[in-house]
Amino acid sequence: MGRIKVKRMEFPIPKADDGHIAGSYGFNAGIRGKPVWFPLHIDQIEKYHLITLKASFNYKPSASNPNEHRCHSRVGMWTAVKDTPSLLSNSSSSDSYQHGESSEFNILLNQWRFGKEAQITFELRDSPSYGAIQIAVCAMPWFLPNEETKLTITLECVEEGDMLPFKIDEKIISFNCVEGSPEVPSNMILKLFDEFGAFNIDGNGNSVHPKQLYTSEALKEQLMQHPNKKVDLAYIGTDTTENIRTLIRRMKDDIGLEKIKHFYVYYKEGWDTELLKTFPNLKLDRGTTSLNEKLKLIKLPKDGSLPKKIASVDYTVSTYVTPWATADEKNRTQYIELLNSLMEKKNSKLISIDPENSSNVIRDYCDDFNLHTTYIEQLDLRPVDEIATSSKVIDCTIWEKKAEVGE
Amino acid sequence: MSNDPTDTILDYMKSLRNSMMFGRCAGKTTRLSKLHQNRLVSEETRTIARKELYRLANILTSALDATSDDEDREIAYLDFSNETQTFLREINQFFTDNPNMLTETKLPNQDITDFKAKSQEIIDFIQPESLLRFEAEFLELVKKFQSSKNPDKKSREKLTKLIRGSINRQSEYSEIRVLLERLSEKKKLLASLKNEFANFKVPLNFMKINEKELAIDDLSEEIEHYQAEVNSRMNYIGLTTENLPLFQYHSLLQENATLFHNTEDKFCNQATYGTISLIDNVERLQSENGGLISILGDPGWGKTIQLRQFTHEFLTKQIQERNTHQIPIYVKAKTLSKHIRNLASSHYGFAVDLPGGGVAEHKGKTTRHVGETNQILIRAMLETESDLSEEQIRNLFEIQRSVAKNMILIVDAYDEVPTQDARFEVVNFISDQVEHHAWPVIMTCRNSHEEELETVFKEMNNGVNPHHKYKIHFTNEELQFLMPTKLANAWGMNSDQISHTVALEFEAFKNVLTHPLFVGLFCMLKSEGAELSVLDIELDSEDRMSIHHISFLKQVIDFGLRINIKDRKSITDEDERTIRMAFLYIAAIHLTMGINNLDNILSIMEKLHEFRVSETQRKILAENLGVMFVNGEKEIEWTHKTLPEVAMGLLINENSNFGSFLINTYGGMFGKNGELWTECLFLTLIENDLLSIDTFCIESEGKLSKETMPTMIEIFSAENHSIIEKCLKLLGITSQIFEDAFVDLSGIRKDSVISHDINEYPSVYADLWRIKPIPGNKFETELRNRIGNSYFCEMLSNDRTFALPIELFGTILENHDEQGLLFTLFDGKLASSSLIGLERLKWPEALSSDISLLLSNFSVTALANVYFKALLYSHDLFSKMGKKKFARNLRKHWIEWSHSVSQNPWIIDISISDFFDLILICMESNTDLDLLNGFMWGSRYEYDTNLNRYDLHDEKILNDLDRFMIQKINRGDFAPGKISSSWLLGKHRVTLDKLLESSIFMMVNTREVFNKNRWEKYILPLKEHWGIPIDFTMKGSKGSKFDRIQSLNVDKIPDGVLRYIVGKIE
């Protein structure tokens, strides 16, 4: 009998700094809590060949109860996934990725969902398996004043020889909004990611979020289509480096490093400060990445200006940059100008990866979750392809400059 | 560039897919695939699904066939599959969510009420808890029956009740008896078998075995099995009686898998809405011989977005599967039409039967060969989607063989094609392609053009190919919750705040948030931080109107126009202002004159209002403005019916000349006789007055102001009484609103008073009037106060004021002192013009003796009207004696009036049936009769002067009039003695004629009859007596006029009446 194991069933959650829903008389009718991380594992799974873990906030507004703001609560599940092609499953569907910690399970990428209802599905490559699956859950609950919010976690499994799933375990986690309760420190999250192998830059590394897998798949697909033998690549890095590490791993394995002439990484100042504080040996440079002279790390000045020399490239990869690019006008301008410079080359393309919808944004919270309007209206780009259309988690669109009149 | 045709097609499809990815929604860049996708529905699909549902329900509710020997029937209902249980839950939910579903559609051979009742029972019945409880209870009872030969009465009743409760059949008792008999038979058989077995009476005649021992063993086994079978049968009978629906349903699942080809969700959607899958339908058409699918909806329902979403989704699927056998071609109908006209070289012509009758001679152009067709399509495609590359499209058409047979033509906005001939050409083109290449064609069309499209396609296509019509459908819940969330996501915005705001405010705006376009605009306004009115007052609105509604539509007009105009870079701010003002004029002219044609409206705007627009501005007005649509024939359509009303209100508020124009032309702001009055228009006009009250209430801390309501004064001063009453009713003001009211009219002359601080009334002393409103909430109290302020300020300033219903003053007017308000108004000669419904009031008795004061307020005829209306509606102006005195005094003044050269004719504004009543009432008193006859005679009161021509004064008619009317009148003490028609003829001939006229008029125009008692007492018996059928009318649509004349009984009907009818029948 499969089991969900969680250490705590109740969490006090501090109130988020912003994003609350205003009610009458200046009180908040809907209170956004800060995201909370907690580990979870599933064991006793030897009987099953398909395992689905679901986490959901079962709240729905209705005409008679339009104030049910808990429906905005979000949850996501993170786990280690092998991203290198040599470890991809040969037996399963094309979106099946091997789990990062055990060769016994694969993850179905298109079944990996975030939002009000999160889901993660594992296929067992060889059952029976006597292992356990480690998962990190990040939940951002919303609260009604003085009411708790509940997260229902269910485990549904399909037994060997059967075709339909059965619910075999369920846990209810309660969240209460308590002012001043502690937040999960960011270095703990980094440690968690490190445990998942997210910061490795060789074949042993793992992805922890679908965006990393889609980013590298999209880049691979584009490079394969490109007529030139060598291409220049730019990456705009604003996260805690796990995304670029996936890219580097994939480049070294199956994307084809030989096709990349230059790999420019534009990073915002302080992007790895927290990481290096926790793990001083994880600095990204030519040597550690083995990309040598191909890799050019370029810092984006804090004052919003552009680096002195920006080489235009064939592809620019921009993954989950919206929170940074829309944080203030300075960032926005810097981002727009940076893209303008990077895309000066004819047929230069932008690969944008963003959440599919706002409920997929769990860790960051901002007003906009993509920059499509900016690309169309301010950068005069047009979409030329969309990748991973079946994904419910991310949106991957390929853009290029609109052709000049008469061109 | 690859030479592989597959790559060419895929490249093209990718380009088209990319151009379908984004669009504009409420003025913002929008990822179309992320928008809510409205469902497409067809009545046919719904009917089929409902029949299926009916079948299912019928099986669920059908009686057990007691004689059935279907032994394979499943009985273990607890083993139901997940699928069955899910479906039953869905059915349960379906009926719960759609309580009216069964009454909406007539199901074959089914008593709807019975069906509904049974369905409800099933809903209760299939609850798992009910099943378990029921099972336990029932099994216990069945056991009792098994163990006891004579089950007690209580158990029997309980079993019966249980069965009745679950199935509700009339023949329950008899069936139970049958079942128990069968139970008894089985027991006997069992006993017999046991006996046979015990006595080794083998071989049994139904067994073909030779060896005895083996036979015994087998028999033992057989009996064991039979025993089990009997037990099972017992349970089966019991359980089936109770639970038949589930068992049969279970069998149904096994027998008829087609019901579950679709998921339960899909089935419920089909049965509820008639939902169809466009992709499935297109694929089906392609596998057959092509055909037309039209997507229908009203303006603002998202037809174009639906089409682009479909094209995008379809292409994504094709690209993923590398399928090149279905190639969509996307064009705008208007563009397609233009290129057919320019490039097609063959001419044709024929007569087309139009919907609703009539034939149109249609001449058009069509293509001579496929080359022309291709050119038309290529140009239309390039013009429709400017991002497509010409080279790519030409490459596509060069691989002709694979393209021509695989195309799916997608055409947007049939109704926007400029002329009827051009639209017919488009249909002809489509029909040709469907016939020659078996293309599926999908086309969007407004509901307004549905009939035309259907008729013309049928005629052009000779019914060779099918035409499926699907309507766009969405629910309120989708409008309220799903659309805002998805729209925010399609804009790339966090949906939390927008979805919250819309969900919360939906109730206040639900009257207007009726379609996706307005929901989109609402979200846009909210995302831009637009402030909509916060004034939330309770209105007594029949149309569920609110100030929010007005406020939103005002913003929609401004934002909607701005965002649509803004897209055009060459437009200046001045242009924008002019277009907005022209838009307001268009709305106002459309409403006041009922004109729909944009060109005509613009001409009138120029001529009557001297407001012109440039060619560019005219062109923009004719394009999609988001709030008003202009179709191919320049007919305007509105995205909401109240939009032009708000626009007209804005025009009146912003342009005083237009308000004056309305008053001068129609006598009021609401058109002739107030026929343009709507709640929405009035609220738009009055909104500023109301907002000013609201602002005051927030700041005033409960004090009352001396301020007025300027717009209300302007409206009420120009409008008739019924409009004033309607306006007040909307504001919830129908009864007494003043506890006390005082006005000092002694210094009413304007030059004698000194200014105070109210801007509108610089010459009015603030202490010349005093209002004490009946307290309500803050807003209500101040509103009442301001109505009073406006009333008295206007009175003091202008020596006249608008009229208010007497009910608003209530008990105040019961004070007949000289200082009281009523006397003050009479004394100030203002009573008649400032009070509505004086005839409903008790007047100071002193006024009955000396009516000179009254005559300074009223003309003689107006006073007579008050008197007659009081008579008609049974109000007592005075005591009995006072009434007599008053009537006599009035008669004296009538004589003077009737001898006056410059007299105004007497007119009373009551219906003809009320006039009939008035005559009968006046005939109860000689004074009243004399007075009425006098006024009618003196003013040569308008009656049918041709009446004499028909010789209605013949003996039969007069005798019948006496018998059926005049002799029935109770004259009581006022006029002793009987009256007759011959007496009336000699003394009050005008009254007699009017009585005859109104009697005959009512007799042959039944719609005019309001007083049922009078109709039944006087008119109906006479009508029957004269052989006129009860339902006979002069203007009726029931039969031709000859049929109606033939229906008269000529032997009974008086000659004069017959001649009257024959002469006037229509």
Side-chain angles (χ1 to χ4, degrees), chain B residues 639-904:
Chain B
T639 37
H640 196 273
K641 71 182 177 61
T642 57
L643 203 61
E645 294 165 10
V646 174
M648 180 168 149
L650 283 175
L651 183 63
I652 297 171
N653 283 343
E654 291 172 20
N655 183 347
S656 57
N657 287 342
F658 187 76
S660 307
F661 166 83
L662 289 174
I663 294 170
N664 295 336
T665 311
Y666 302 107
M669 285 182 191
F670 300 109
K672 196 177 162 194
N673 299 324
E675 59 200 12
L676 298 177
W677 188 91
T678 63
E679 292 183 346
C680 204
L681 176 55
F682 171 65
L683 289 174
T684 310
L685 294 174
I686 202 86
E687 191 196 6
N688 287 338
D689 283 358
L690 299 176
L691 287 174
S692 155
I693 295 174
D694 191 50
T695 313
F696 176 82
C697 289
I698 293 164
E699 295 163 358
S700 69
E701 294 170 357
K703 287 177 190 159
L704 292 174
S705 78
K706 276 282 186 180
E707 288 186 35
T708 61
M709 298 173 70
T711 317
M712 188 200 71
I713 293 171
E714 205 179 334
I715 295 169
F716 283 13
S717 300
E719 293 302 335
N720 65 38
H721 291 178
S722 70
I723 293 292
I724 294 172
E725 285 179 307
K726 272 206 269 190
C727 294
L728 289 168
K729 182 176 177 288
L730 180 61
L731 296 175
I733 293 170
T734 50
S735 55
Q736 185 167 357
I737 59 168
F738 306 122
E739 257 177 24
D740 192 18
F742 161 82
V743 62
D744 177 4
L745 296 178
S746 57
I748 198 166
R749 302 281 78 80
K750 279 172 259 178
D751 50 353
S752 66
V753 287
I754 308 163
S755 159
H756 85 311
D757 60 351
I758 296 171
N759 292 334
E760 297 85 18
Y761 296 95
S763 57
V764 178
Y765 258 144
D767 54 2
L768 288 178
W769 83 93
R770 195 174 59 245
I771 297 288
K772 191 178 176 195
I774 286 181
N777 62 34
K778 260 183 172 181
F779 184 90
E780 286 166 351
T781 313
E782 179 60 16
L783 172 65
R784 292 163 187 175
N785 177 52
R786 287 199 187 193
I787 291 172
N789 288 345
S790 308
Y791 184 72
F792 290 126
C793 264
E794 189 68 358
M795 195 179 276
L796 289 162
S797 160
N798 290 335
D799 200 1
R800 62 183 164 79
T801 190
F802 53 86
L804 286 177
I806 55 151
E807 286 77 11
L808 270 53
F809 299 92
T811 49
I812 299 172
L813 298 180
E814 287 171 14
N815 176 2
H816 291 173
D817 294 348
E818 288 200 0
Q819 290 76 33
L821 182 64
L822 186 63
F823 222 94
T824 308
L825 293 178
F826 273 120
D827 201 33
K829 304 174 187 176
L830 289 166
S832 71
S833 59
S834 62
L835 291 173
I836 301 171
L838 267 171
E839 69 277 4
R840 300 193 290 268
L841 204 63
K842 189 103 179 166
W843 292 7
E845 198 71 4
L847 297 177
S848 65
S849 313
D850 175 9
I851 66 168
S852 56
L853 183 60
L854 289 177
L855 286 172
S856 67
N857 280 273
F858 298 93
S859 65
V860 178
T861 49
L863 197 56
N865 276 352
V866 174
Y867 179 72
F868 288 131
K869 280 187 184 173
L871 275 184
L872 183 65
Y873 304 123
S874 308
H875 296 298
D876 294 326
L877 293 176
F878 304 102
S879 66
K880 278 187 184 175
M881 286 308 293
K883 186 187 160 201
K884 264 191 172 177
K885 272 190 226 166
F886 175 80
R888 279 194 211 113
N889 279 325
L890 187 58
R891 194 168 178 282
K892 274 186 218 160
H893 286 277
W894 160 70
I895 294 167
E896 281 171 29
W897 165 78
S898 65
H899 288 94
S900 154
V901 182
S902 60
Q903 53 144 306
N904 291 319

Side-chain angles (χ1 to χ4, degrees), chain B residues 529-624:
Chain B
E531 279 296 321
L532 295 172
S533 174
V534 289
L535 182 54
D536 189 15
I537 56 169
E538 203 170 313
L539 299 170
D540 183 11
S541 166
E542 285 171 9
D543 297 334
R544 295 186 304 148
M545 210 47 71
S546 64
I547 300 292
H548 292 88
H549 182 114
I550 308 300
S551 172
F552 172 61
L553 285 186
K554 279 164 77 169
Q555 297 268 18
V556 162
I557 290 172
D558 287 345
F559 273 83
L561 285 173
R562 201 174 304 146
I563 57 178
N564 279 288
I565 297 170
K566 195 173 74 175
D567 283 349
R568 300 161 178 86
K569 285 176 183 158
S570 58
I571 294 300
T572 63
D573 289 352
E574 185 56 36
D575 283 331
E576 199 181 308
R577 280 193 291 276
T578 308
I579 290 168
R580 182 183 174 280
M581 190 49 78
F583 172 81
L584 303 185
Y585 269 116
I586 290 167
I589 293 168
H590 161 77
L591 278 183
T592 51
M593 301 189 181
I595 305 172
N596 275 331
N597 184 283
L598 182 66
D599 289 340
N600 293 344
I601 292 176
L602 293 178
S603 303
I604 287 169
M605 181 177 82
E606 258 189 68
K607 203 171 173 67
L608 292 184
H609 305 289
E610 293 171 354
F611 191 83
R612 283 177 195 83
V613 288
S614 67
E615 265 315 300
T616 316
Q617 292 162 347
R618 182 183 276 255
K619 208 174 151 203
I620 291 170
L621 283 164
E623 287 169 4
N624 175 6

Side-chain angles (χ1 to χ4, degrees), chain B residues 195-246:
Chain B
N195 191 32
E196 278 180 288
F197 180 67
N199 297 317
F200 293 99
K201 285 183 182 172
V202 287
L204 296 171
N205 57 6
F206 57 88
M207 296 177 68
K208 292 178 181 176
I209 52 169
N210 298 321
E211 292 182 34
K212 197 176 172 181
E213 275 185 13
L214 191 61
I216 293 166
D217 286 348
D218 280 355
L219 184 61
S220 306
E221 213 177 293
E222 188 76 20
I223 287 168
E224 255 181 50
H225 173 77
Y226 203 84
Q227 176 68 60
E229 182 66 28
V230 169
N231 290 341
S232 156
R233 188 86 181 160
M234 294 283 290
N235 289 335
Y236 170 63
I237 291 164
L239 282 171
T240 307
T241 311
E242 296 283 354
N243 299 319
L244 168 75
L246 297 182

